[in-house]
Amino acid sequence: MAKKSGGDKNYVSVWQWLLLFFLFALPCIGLGILLTLAFVGENESRKNYCRASLILMLLGLLIWGGIVALGFSPAIVSGIQNWLHRHHWR
């Protein structure tokens, strides 16, 4: 298979992806790089990947926040238990 030419601005090599994965794993710095690459630059492939990663992060935070809220809020847990008891779900 022929190697991609340098003229394709959307081409990202394996080594570039590995470097990006390493940079994204760095605390705080990775998030800044991810945000920058999601909205700046001409490489649409890299922008789309970074945007998708941000969406997944936000979904994960929402799910985690919901789990924490259910686990640590006695009023919410009590309300769910009361509802289940009223509807005969045990």
Side-chain angles (χ1 to χ4, degrees):
M1 187 169 181
K3 190 175 181 179
K4 288 273 189 178
S5 67
D8 185 5
K9 65 181 177 182
N10 286 321
Y11 177 72
V12 181
S13 72
V14 172
W15 294 109
Q16 288 171 331
W17 281 124
L18 289 173
L19 176 63
L20 286 175
F21 292 153
F22 173 75
L23 292 174
F24 293 158
L26 297 174
C28 298
I29 296 169
L31 181 60
I33 292 171
L34 186 65
L35 285 167
T36 302
L37 292 177
F39 301 106
V40 177
E42 295 182 11
N43 190 315
E44 292 299 319
S45 179
R46 188 172 50 219
K47 276 185 183 178
N48 288 334
Y49 172 78
C50 292
R51 289 173 182 169
S53 295
L54 287 171
I55 291 168
L56 285 174
M57 289 172 113
L58 289 174
L59 285 173
L61 282 172
L62 286 174
I63 291 170
W64 178 80
I67 291 170
V68 168
L70 287 174
F72 290 111
S73 176
I76 293 173
V77 174
S78 167
I80 292 171
Q81 288 173 343
N82 289 337
W83 184 86
L84 291 174
H85 183 65
R86 280 192 313 246
H87 291 87
H88 305 291
W89 292 29
R90 296 178 189 194

